[in-house]
Amino acid sequence: MEEVLVYGRSTDQIGIATSASQGFVGLDDIDPPPLLRVGELVEAVPGMTATQHSGTGKANQYFLRGFNLDHGTDFSAQLNGIPLNMRTHGHGQGYLDLNPIIPELVTTIRYQKGPYLARDGDFSSAGSVRFDYGANMTAPLLKVSAGSFGYRRSLIAASNDRYTVAADSTRYAGPWALDENLRQNKGHFGWTLPIEETQSRLELDYYDSSWRATDQIPQRAVAQNRISSSGFIDPDLGSNSRRYSLNASMSDNTTDGRLYAVSSQFQLFSNFTYFLENPDVGDEFEQVDERTLWGADLRSAMI
């Protein structure tokens, strides 16, 4: 009989996970598949789907167990302990953009499905996910990728037991008649300082992205051969998105605490009805969100 080799994680969740709806995804499960978009990282959560519209740089549309979570209204996410959802965002409550994540740095994904964990707070009525970067790579990482429709990506990353540094740049024209002209740049710097049984870490993250969006088009315009199925009506749709964060954390055997600050800017031009409401000038509109936020988190276990 042919030998069949099956491997799996030996991570013991007994006493950690309080429900079968909680789980842990390790590096071996995250690393292998190539990603069409960063948001696909969330599909490591069983039953989770991430789709895309209005351009590669925009936050995904999320579905959990078939339920539409819009852009993150009912699903919360954190990166290295910093919340990614934006309350009262200019494009929608709980707007969740996963594009600032550098996938190759993610080593663990922890998730829960359902509304029963109060610690996850706002936007977690359907579930939540926590992405964590790892450190101490076995060797420096250099990736240069190229593909169809003008896709180009370069990544350089290195780390040891004290430092983690990464820079990521992506360019993409897209499959549409209108050049998407995606310009996406990311950076990460992490510094770890162990002091006896306490580990302190300082992290800086940078994200800057711009793109043009083809968006939805009228079926009748395609049927009348006015545009192709990959064509466009309004050439001015698209967005600029930026996010900068500073994260200082400290942990030991019983306590985990952090202070963080985030600066975020977002500008989106959309046009759902084209010339229906304003035949002379068109129906294009702008959504803007600009904010700086601070936060703190402290958890302690009694032993």
Side-chain angles (χ1 to χ4, degrees):
M1 179 179 292
E2 182 181 355
E3 180 181 1
V4 177
L5 179 63
V6 179
Y7 82 95
R9 297 185 306 276
S10 60
T11 305
D12 188 358
Q13 293 291 293
I14 297 176
I16 299 175
T18 58
S19 165
S21 293
Q22 286 181 260
F24 171 89
V25 182
L27 180 61
D28 287 341
D29 298 308
I30 301 169
D31 185 53
L35 299 175
L36 177 62
R37 45 186 175 261
V38 177
E40 291 179 10
L41 277 174
V42 81
E43 294 183 352
V45 178
M48 193 75 181
T49 302
T51 64
Q52 187 69 57
H53 73 99
S54 299
T56 306
K58 189 179 178 183
N60 298 88
Q61 193 95 9
Y62 305 101
F63 297 82
L64 179 59
R65 294 169 170 167
F67 288 91
N68 187 353
L69 309 179
D70 195 38
H71 288 298
T73 304
D74 301 300
F75 191 80
S76 69
Q78 294 184 2
L79 175 61
N80 298 325
I82 300 180
L84 292 174
N85 300 73
M86 292 290 183
R87 53 178 46 83
T88 64
H89 189 270
H91 187 64
Q93 174 75 328
Y95 185 79
L96 172 58
D97 188 1
L98 298 180
N99 283 298
I101 297 175
I102 300 177
E104 287 80 0
L105 298 186
V106 177
T107 55
T108 59
I109 299 176
R110 300 180 185 273
Y111 65 87
Q112 68 88 15
K113 293 176 284 185
Y116 55 86
L117 283 184
R119 73 179 185 192
D120 290 327
D122 294 344
F123 315 120
S124 63
S125 58
S128 65
V129 64
R130 297 165 181 259
F131 300 96
D132 288 299
Y133 286 169
N136 203 15
M137 296 178 179
T138 56
L141 175 64
L142 174 63
K143 277 188 175 182
V144 178
S145 307
S148 303
F149 308 113
Y151 177 84
R152 304 185 304 278
R153 181 179 181 238
S154 57
L155 167 71
I156 183 169
S159 73
N160 54 30
D161 57 350
R162 296 288 295 274
Y163 300 99
T164 302
V165 180
D168 183 350
S169 180
T170 300
R171 302 291 183 267
Y172 184 48
W176 317 108
L178 179 67
D179 187 343
E180 187 172 337
N181 197 30
L182 175 70
R183 299 286 187 270
Q184 193 174 86
N185 300 298
K186 312 175 195 178
H188 173 79
F189 172 78
W191 176 49
T192 301
L193 179 63
I195 305 175
E196 296 182 353
E197 295 184 356
T198 301
Q199 181 162 289
S200 302
R201 186 164 178 82
L202 180 68
E203 293 173 300
L204 298 170
D205 286 279
Y206 161 83
Y207 169 73
D208 190 316
S209 181
S210 64
W211 70 95
R212 294 191 296 189
T214 293
D215 229 324
Q216 66 285 321
I217 54 175
Q219 174 65 41
R220 64 181 181 277
V222 178
Q224 295 169 1
N225 292 321
R226 296 174 57 190
I227 59 174
S228 69
S229 59
S230 61
F232 60 94
I233 299 292
D234 189 339
D236 299 323
L237 309 182
S239 179
N240 300 286
S241 183
R242 298 177 181 87
R243 180 184 173 99
Y244 316 100
S245 65
L246 172 64
N247 186 12
S249 62
M250 181 178 293
S251 62
D252 57 24
N253 294 331
T254 60
T255 305
D256 184 8
R258 73 183 64 251
L259 297 171
Y260 58 85
V262 178
S263 175
S264 173
Q265 297 90 40
F266 174 87
Q267 180 186 40
L268 175 67
F269 293 94
S270 302
N271 193 342
F272 301 135
T273 52
Y274 295 109
F275 295 94
L276 179 65
E277 302 295 336
N278 300 282
D280 295 331
V281 297
D283 301 343
E284 182 180 307
F285 62 94
E286 178 187 16
Q287 293 174 311
V288 176
D289 188 279
E290 184 171 350
R291 68 181 68 196
T292 300
L293 60 93
W294 299 268
D297 185 31
L298 178 63
R299 304 171 191 268
S300 181
M302 298 181 65
I303 58 175

